[in-house]
């Protein structure tokens, strides 16, 4: 069955540094991959989508890469700020033409001032 | 603009009691609708999705059910709650062309 793996350990970095989060998947080839941010007690908020034919996408301080050979996506936050502290979720299409989206467990990011 | 609202925000229910969570979407037509559940410290588990009125797909065998009586209304129900039903329930709708999900505020259910 489809499996999405994100580092379960929290990532602690210093303000101003680049945070890099990893998402690995197995057992299928998604048409797209998404990243979401979730704050405690809130629903996830969409950040970026990258399609299978795209290698990289950027949005302000965010950058996402998608390597379909390695079955991996990297999510980078440059010049990180304490306000970036949150849980970041990787999500993939469930292989039904976009009708459903499957989420990883997320990685907690702490940015220290 | 589109909005999504779900309620109640918080509820505490005894084991064996019924459940009804409601979700409504405004500002969009014929959206794909979803119910997810998030256990404490865990990721989102897809429970149900719907591509139209009366069309429900179930992802996980369980004692929960979903219904879509109107285009922009999605309801999650149970006849008898279990302790394992406790969690944070999230309703969402999706942009059909991008698959981007927009989530509601969430409903935190505690079954005692």
């Amino acid at each position: 069955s489809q499996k999405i793996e994100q580092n379960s350990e929290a990532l602690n970095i210093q303000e101003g540094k680049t945070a890099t989060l990893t998402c690995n998947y197995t057992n299928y080839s998604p048409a797209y991959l998404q990243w979401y941010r979730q704050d405690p007690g809130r629903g996830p908020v969409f950040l970026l989508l990258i399609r299978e034919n795209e290698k990289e996408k950027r949005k302000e301080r965010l950058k996402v890469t998608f390597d379909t050979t390695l079955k991996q996506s990297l999510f980078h936050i440059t010049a990180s700020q304490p306000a970036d502290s949150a849980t970041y979720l990787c999500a993939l299409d469930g292989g039904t033409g976009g009708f459903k989206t499957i989420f990883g467990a997320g990685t907690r990011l702490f940015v220290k001032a | 603009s589109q909005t999504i609202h779900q309620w109640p925000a918080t509820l505490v229910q005894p084991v064996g009691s019924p459940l009804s969570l409601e979700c409504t979407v405004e500002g969009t037509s014929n959206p794909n609708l979803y119910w997810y559940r998030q256990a404490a410290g865990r990721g989102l588990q897809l429970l149900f999705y719907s591509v139209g009125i009366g069309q429900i797909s179930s992802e996980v065998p369980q004692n929960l059910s979903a219904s879509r009586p109107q285009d922009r209304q999605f309801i999650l129900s149970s006849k008898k709650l279990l302790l394992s039903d406790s969690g944070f329930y999230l309703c969402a709708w999706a942009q059909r062309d991008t698959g981007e999900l927009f989530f509601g505020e969430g409903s935190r259910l505690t079954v005692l």
Side-chain angles (χ1 to χ4, degrees), chain A residues 49-113:
Chain A
L49 177 147
I50 186 166
R51 299 190 183 279
E52 61 180 337
N53 60 347
E54 299 175 311
K55 296 294 185 184
E56 179 180 300
K57 183 164 279 189
R58 294 174 183 262
K59 179 182 177 182
E60 299 174 351
R61 295 185 295 111
L62 309 180
K63 185 179 82 171
V64 173
T65 63
F66 194 7
D67 189 325
T68 55
T69 300
L70 291 179
K71 294 187 181 295
Q72 181 182 79
S73 174
L74 298 178
F75 177 78
H76 307 273
I77 305 175
T78 59
S80 59
Q81 305 165 1
D84 295 325
S85 298
T87 296
Y88 291 86
L89 303 169
C90 170
L92 306 173
D93 81 277
T96 58
F99 289 143
K100 62 179 183 179
T101 301
I102 310 298
F103 284 81
T107 298
R108 190 82 168 91
L109 171 67
F110 293 97
V111 181
K112 295 178 288 187

Side-chain angles (χ1 to χ4, degrees), chain A residues 34 36 38 49 99-101, chain B residues 34 36 38 59 98-99 101:
Chain A
Q34 303 174 5
Y36 289 77
Q38 186 176 24
L49 177 147
F99 289 143
K100 62 179 183 179
T101 301
Chain B
Y34 303 82
Y36 285 87
Q38 188 172 35
E59 289 297 299
T98 66
L101 287 167

Side-chain angles (χ1 to χ4, degrees), chain B residues 5 39 57 66 87 94 112:
Chain B
H5 183 53
S57 296
L112 301 175

Side-chain angles (χ1 to χ4, degrees), chain A residues 34-50:
Chain A
Q34 303 174 5
W35 283 90
Y36 289 77
R37 168 184 172 141
Q38 186 176 24
D39 292 290
R42 308 291 297 274
V45 175
F46 173 81
L47 297 174
L48 281 169
L49 177 147
I50 186 166

Side-chain angles (χ1 to χ4, degrees), chain B residues 22-39:
Chain B
E22 294 196 35
C23 173
T24 59
V25 180
E26 297 295 332
T28 184
S29 301
N30 196 26
N32 289 345
L33 296 174
Y34 303 82
W35 279 110
Y36 285 87
R37 177 172 61 199
Q38 188 172 35

